[in-house]
Amino acid sequence: MKHWRMQDVAWDSFDPAKVDPGVLPLVKAAAMVERNGIDYARYLKRVFHDDPDFSRAADNWAIEEVQHGDALGRWASLADPGWDYEACFERYRTGYQIDATAEKSIRGSRTGELIARCMVETGTSSYYTALGEASDEPVLREICRLIAADEYRHFKLFYDHMRRYLDRERIGVLQRLRIAAGRVGESEDDELAFAYHCSNEPEGTVYAHGRCIAGYMGRAMSFYRYRHIERAVGMGFKSVGLPPRGRLADLSTRLAWRLLQWRRRRFAHRITAWDGVAEVALAA
Ligand SMILES: [Fe+2]
Ligand SMILES: [Fe+2]
């Protein structure tokens, strides 16, 4: 059961004058990844094939993720009427597919799979909160608020199931930490970079991971504030069984914030470098 529907959004309040051109490419790319949730549910249902409770939850989860894609896609189409959400998603789906035939979790255990899911939901919940708070456009603010609330509920859903499996599988904190950190590192893999490519670059452009991940991350990272990272670290700590508040969480937040600023500067520098290459190519 969905917590909100597309028709609940006040689409009539859309104000084109308040669209931030730096946000638009991010919304387009995020729409691709969100809509692809249906494939991930297929994979989850194979991994948890003998767990009907979880399978039902995965189906509901996927319906909400697809709605996130559709809402973001509709907003991007309002902001850029020439943009074709369906065609971009088709390109994405053709070029990027997860292995939905796996019988076992790629994380080595069901607990590990659910920790990885908690980390993804931690990331999306913080990201949409940050993006919504930074945006002046009222419809985007509303969509981000609705999506962020869903993502937080998803976090709780995967967390509750994870606790259940942890009782059986008994994976140590260090192993859980390794899985969580690994999943955070994967955010710079092809999933987002290729989504950025399909939704923002003209058809026929050759995909370059470095250019696309810089295009996405260099922009996305600029919307976070310290409080968003603080909250994300707390949720991450909770997922692996560490205290979400306290000295270790504070120290980790400070480190994560510095790392984010460093990565943001590096990606922004790369965007400038790629723009320079493009200008030279055009002039030639
Ligand atoms: Fe989502
Ligand atoms: Fe989610």
Side-chain angles (χ1 to χ4, degrees):
M1 205 193 303
K2 292 178 193 169
H3 291 85
W4 55 278
R5 292 177 184 278
M6 290 285 274
Q7 58 265 37
D8 299 335
V9 176
W11 297 101
D12 291 348
S13 311
F14 177 73
D15 184 349
K18 291 190 172 157
V19 173
D20 175 349
V23 166
L24 186 55
L26 301 177
V27 173
K28 289 177 177 175
M32 307 288 106
V33 178
E34 293 282 351
R35 186 163 169 181
N36 217 22
I38 211 96
D39 265 4
Y40 213 93
R42 215 167 285 144
Y43 157 78
L44 285 176
K45 284 169 69 177
R46 287 183 77 92
V47 172
F48 293 86
H49 57 89
D50 56 356
D51 184 339
D53 268 5
F54 183 80
S55 292
R56 255 192 311 275
D59 276 335
N60 281 332
W61 165 81
I63 289 169
E64 294 193 342
E65 297 296 7
V66 171
Q67 180 166 268
H68 296 171
D70 290 347
L72 294 165
R74 184 163 169 186
W75 183 86
S77 302
L78 287 173
D80 177 3
W83 185 67
D84 190 336
Y85 170 51
E86 299 292 337
C88 290
F89 182 69
E90 222 23 68
R91 276 172 74 195
Y92 183 59
R93 201 139 189 245
T94 308
Y96 179 84
Q97 279 172 3
I98 64 156
D99 180 12
T101 61
E103 297 291 337
K104 285 203 163 93
S105 168
I106 53 167
R107 312 288 162 192
S109 65
R110 290 181 175 185
T111 306
E113 181 64 44
L114 292 165
I115 287 171
R117 295 318 309 164
C118 283
M119 297 313 291
V120 172
E121 303 297 347
T122 296
T124 52
S125 149
S126 318
Y127 180 52
Y128 291 113
T129 303
L131 202 60
E133 286 177 7
S135 177
D136 286 333
E137 202 295 308
V139 178
L140 185 60
R141 280 184 79 88
E142 186 186 3
I143 296 171
C144 285
R145 185 180 53 76
L146 292 167
I147 296 179
D150 279 351
E151 309 294 23
Y152 187 65
R153 274 189 293 271
H154 295 163
F155 168 84
K156 286 170 69 175
L157 167 84
F158 290 124
Y159 178 81
D160 289 344
H161 283 281
M162 186 274 290
R163 295 292 311 179
R164 194 158 60 83
Y165 279 100
L166 185 62
D167 284 345
R168 297 184 211 169
E169 294 179 332
R170 303 228 163 259
I171 294 174
V173 172
L174 274 182
Q175 172 74 346
R176 284 182 261 160
L177 204 53
R178 195 186 60 75
I179 292 166
R183 185 58 190 84
V184 173
E186 285 171 27
S187 58
E188 292 180 15
D189 286 357
D190 282 329
E191 186 178 38
L192 271 170
F194 192 63
Y196 180 87
H197 168 70
C198 295
S199 57
N200 286 286
E201 299 189 326
E203 220 170 337
T205 310
V206 177
Y207 171 59
H209 175 267
R211 180 186 67 231
C212 296
I213 199 64
Y216 189 87
M217 289 296 181
R219 291 176 176 88
M221 286 175 166
S222 67
F223 293 101
Y224 288 100
R225 297 293 168 263
Y226 194 80
R227 62 180 179 279
H228 304 127
I229 302 304
E230 198 168 30
R231 186 164 165 273
V233 168
M235 289 165 76
F237 267 39
K238 192 173 158 73
S239 309
V240 299
L242 291 171
R245 282 185 203 87
R247 284 180 64 182
L248 187 59
D250 288 347
L251 180 69
S252 302
T253 302
R254 281 204 290 277
L255 280 173
W257 177 249
R258 288 178 73 160
L259 184 66
L260 180 87
Q261 300 310 319
W262 175 69
R263 298 292 290 156
R264 182 183 57 76
R265 281 194 297 272
R266 272 181 61 112
F267 282 130
H269 181 72
R270 272 205 248 164
I271 294 177
T272 316
W274 279 106
D275 285 351
V277 171
E279 273 169 32
V280 170
L282 279 173

